[in-house]
Amino acid sequence: MEQFDKDLRSIQEARDLVKAGEVATKKIATFNNEQIDHILQYMKEAAEEHAAELAEMAVVETGFGKAKDKTYKNHAAATLLYEQIKDQKTIGVIAEDKANGTFDVAAPVGLIMGIVPSTNPTSTTIFKAMIAIKSRNAIIFAPHPAATKCTNKAAEILNDAAVAAGAPEGIIGCVSTPTMASTNELMHAKDVALIIATGGPGMVKAAYSAGKPAIGVGAGNSPAYIEASADVKAAVARIIASKTFDNGTICASEQSIVCEESNKNEVISELKRQGGYFMTPEETQKVCKVLFRPGTHAMSAKYVGRSPQVIAAGAGIGIPEGTKVLIGAQDGVGEGNPLSFEKLTTVLAFYVVKDWQEACDLSINLLQNGIGHTMSIHTNNHDMVLRFAAKPASRILVNTGGSQGGTGLSTGLPISFTLGCGTFGGSSVSENVSPKHLLNVKKVAYGMKDVTTLAEDDPTFNYKEAGCANGKCDAMMPPKPLQASSAELKNTLSAKQEDASNAELAEVVRKLLLAMNDK
């Protein structure tokens, strides 16, 4: 194969992976609960054993984030996820409704293609492999070119562990030479049944355009609203902990802080005390110049997941020692306010509003640049939570950090590194993606009514105009004329009045005749 160019080699590799994956898919579809759980335990233990190694590889290869935080994300995608999903029913009868005579039977969707981003490469690979095996599917990964080595290593570790536990060969595959050609080959391979796309908007759009089912997740632009009743010290601590977690590479991380005039001074003071540096307008302009690609609102890869010190040095500004996040005041949303867009790094926009209504409007405007994803509110007012639950975000997080809360690490949400944005953001799901999204659920339904007398036995059905009387329908009765003359109608009504033994019915008929005469 050495004589062929990179694209051709990558296409051939993709085809070979699909062929092996399809065979593995058919075999694992016959496995029982005990076999699947045994495989998952091996995968969990292997991922846990190599969590730190994979995290370090990811930081070295991509330059994004922190090894310690990536290690914890690997742990979450392996051990914490396993504990959460181990008892979920994904095989055979998974639900039953005896009252309505139905039950649900789960079946795997088939061979899955998993697109992996450079921001969270190893944790996303572990996560998708775990939920794929839990639902009895094989999976092939298409890594981001900037995270090829660490993604392949993660897939190799998981595949070796799965096979050692009894899974078929080829159950977890990964393209070693990723190109647009190989990704396109996988997307359009007839044996790939489903695509899970985690990455940039272009890649997600391509996945949805492949002509097969896909689960894609869009960009986030989460505002964090510190409402008047909030514990400001605690709120700021949560936001700082979230935005500095892996240097803001999780798309559920906060992008803007919104506070009110009533607590503005307290919020600013607390942010400064906890490591926030408020940039001057000139410094903000310099940071934005290096943070975003020229003429766009897309981030420069050079500053994704970087510390404030790296960003400040690149922008040529000085910041105090111990700075954890850079904060820039913004006057509005959109053009002229670049920090109102997504920033997967340690930079936050800052807004001050008059009251909660203005915070509501601002949050909606901010979410337009990351619609359907996540927003957070810090408050001790439950009614305020209910008001903000109407915002166009699939995750409304209360009194927690966006990075940890959105991924289910600090909330009761399913632990996930693929966060659906719903139809708001052009996604097919609005939930945190989990094993249930990788299942075909078949409905078995017993007959509950006699189909031969369905209409006659239905007490809510009364259709005398169609020739039915006393619940019995005469299908042979000729249709009535669509219209009748006034004289014919009067004669018919008079006859009914004469025959009526019920005085009340006679009175109704009399009134009808009087009404017709009046006309």
Side-chain angles (χ1 to χ4, degrees):
M1 295 294 291
E2 291 299 323
Q3 68 269 31
F4 297 116
D5 64 22
K6 184 178 179 181
D7 282 352
L8 290 175
R9 284 187 283 117
S10 69
I11 291 172
Q12 185 60 56
E13 182 185 23
R15 289 176 178 174
D16 292 342
L17 288 169
V18 169
K19 185 176 180 180
E22 176 61 13
V23 173
T25 295
K26 292 178 179 177
K27 290 180 179 178
I28 199 169
T30 65
F31 283 28
N32 59 33
N33 278 302
E34 290 72 22
Q35 290 172 298
I36 292 298
D37 191 63
H38 183 59
I39 295 169
L40 285 173
Q41 287 188 48
Y42 266 57
M43 291 171 62
K44 173 200 70 173
E45 291 167 4
E48 193 69 64
E49 180 183 350
H50 295 277
E53 174 194 350
L54 292 172
E56 187 63 39
M57 283 185 67
V59 172
V60 170
E61 186 174 7
T62 66
F64 304 160
K66 306 174 184 176
K68 180 181 178 181
D69 292 343
K70 287 190 183 298
T71 301
Y72 189 78
K73 288 198 291 188
N74 291 339
H75 162 75
T79 301
L80 298 186
L81 177 66
Y82 171 77
E83 291 300 323
Q84 189 177 82
I85 68 174
K86 66 180 181 180
D87 295 324
Q88 289 182 12
K89 293 182 178 180
T90 57
I91 300 175
V93 177
I94 60 174
E96 185 175 7
D97 183 350
K98 293 183 178 179
N100 288 307
T102 68
F103 61 87
D104 299 348
V105 180
V109 296
L111 182 58
I112 296 170
M113 175 192 180
I115 299 175
V116 180
S118 56
T119 47
N120 306 288
T122 57
S123 54
T124 301
T125 301
I126 296 168
F127 163 72
K128 288 183 178 179
M130 293 285 286
I131 64 171
I133 298 302
K134 176 63 177 175
S135 49
R136 294 186 299 167
N137 298 291
I139 187 166
I140 301 170
F141 290 106
H144 191 286
T148 301
K149 293 180 181 178
C150 61
T151 303
N152 266 273
K153 185 64 175 178
E156 179 187 348
I157 289 169
L158 293 166
N159 183 69
D160 289 348
V163 172
E169 293 284 349
I171 194 69
I172 300 168
C174 187
V175 175
S176 62
T177 310
T179 64
M180 287 301 296
S182 64
T183 299
N184 187 65
E185 182 69 24
L186 287 175
M187 282 185 178
H188 293 88
K190 68 178 182 63
D191 289 328
V192 169
L194 177 72
I195 302 170
I196 313 180
T198 309
M203 185 60 73
V204 172
K205 184 177 180 181
Y208 277 121
S209 302
K212 61 185 61 187
I215 298 173
V217 298
N221 193 35
S222 176
Y225 172 37
I226 304 178
E227 193 262 337
S229 69
D231 180 334
V232 171
K233 182 178 179 180
V236 168
R238 297 177 192 123
I239 293 170
I240 296 290
S242 172
K243 194 58 175 170
T244 58
F245 183 66
D246 205 26
N247 284 342
T249 54
I250 292 179
C251 48
S253 65
E254 293 81 353
Q255 305 298 316
S256 306
I257 295 176
V258 180
C259 67
E260 299 183 26
E261 290 180 351
S262 62
N263 61 7
K264 166 189 171 183
N265 293 335
E266 185 182 3
V267 169
I268 292 174
S269 176
E270 196 59 43
L271 280 166
K272 289 179 178 179
R273 191 185 72 80
Q274 295 194 36
Y277 175 69
F278 281 82
M279 299 180 287
T280 66
E282 293 76 20
E283 290 172 331
T284 299
Q285 189 175 15
K286 289 181 179 180
V287 165
C288 289
K289 189 174 182 180
V290 300
L291 207 60
F292 299 100
R293 296 173 190 168
T296 74
H297 301 298
M299 274 197 69
S300 166
K302 187 176 180 180
Y303 294 103
V304 170
R306 305 287 178 160
S307 69
Q309 289 70 29
V310 170
I311 297 169
I317 68 172
I319 60 175
E321 186 177 351
T323 295
K324 295 180 179 178
V325 292
L326 302 177
I327 304 170
Q330 300 286 273
D331 296 326
V333 178
E335 294 300 325
N337 294 278
L339 294 185
S340 65
F341 293 86
E342 184 185 49
K343 308 162 292 297
L344 297 182
T345 195
T346 52
V347 179
L348 286 161
F350 187 77
Y351 294 91
V352 179
V353 296
K354 293 180 181 178
D355 49 33
W356 74 266
Q357 288 99 334
E358 192 172 317
C360 177
D361 293 338
L362 176 60
S363 295
I364 291 174
N365 289 335
L366 287 166
L367 285 167
Q368 299 309 304
N369 298 322
I371 193 164
H373 206 288
T374 304
M375 82 159 291
S376 57
I377 178 171
H378 300 265
T379 181
N380 286 312
N381 185 338
H382 181 67
D383 289 339
M384 198 61 65
V385 174
L386 296 178
R387 291 185 181 118
F388 275 77
K391 300 299 164 285
S394 298
R395 278 154 295 277
I396 309 294
L397 308 175
V398 182
N399 295 335
T400 191
S403 295
Q404 299 90 341
T407 53
L409 303 182
S410 65
T411 61
L413 296 175
I415 293 173
S416 180
F417 290 95
T418 300
L419 312 181
C421 300
T423 56
F424 297 114
S427 180
S428 58
V429 298
S430 60
E431 301 172 288
N432 286 14
V433 176
S434 66
K436 74 176 185 178
H437 296 102
L438 308 185
L439 293 171
N440 283 317
V441 179
K442 301 178 287 185
K443 284 280 187 181
V444 178
Y446 281 85
M448 303 290 284
K449 299 176 182 178
D450 186 347
V451 296
T452 64
T453 58
L454 196 61
E456 290 87 341
D457 295 342
D458 187 346
T460 67
F461 183 69
N462 184 10
Y463 201 47
K464 295 179 180 179
E465 292 81 0
C468 300
N470 300 320
K472 302 298 181 181
C473 297
D474 184 358
M476 301 304 293
M477 182 177 288
K480 293 182 179 180
L482 293 177
Q483 294 180 336
S485 68
S486 176
E488 289 174 331
L489 184 57
K490 287 182 179 180
N491 291 336
T492 300
L493 290 172
S494 296
K496 288 186 178 294
Q497 185 179 26
E498 291 173 0
D499 293 340
S501 59
N502 188 306
E504 186 178 7
L505 175 59
E507 179 63 15
V508 171
V509 173
R510 187 185 66 80
K511 289 180 179 179
L512 284 171
L513 288 169
L514 288 174
M516 290 185 63
N517 289 331
D518 289 341
K519 291 184 178 181

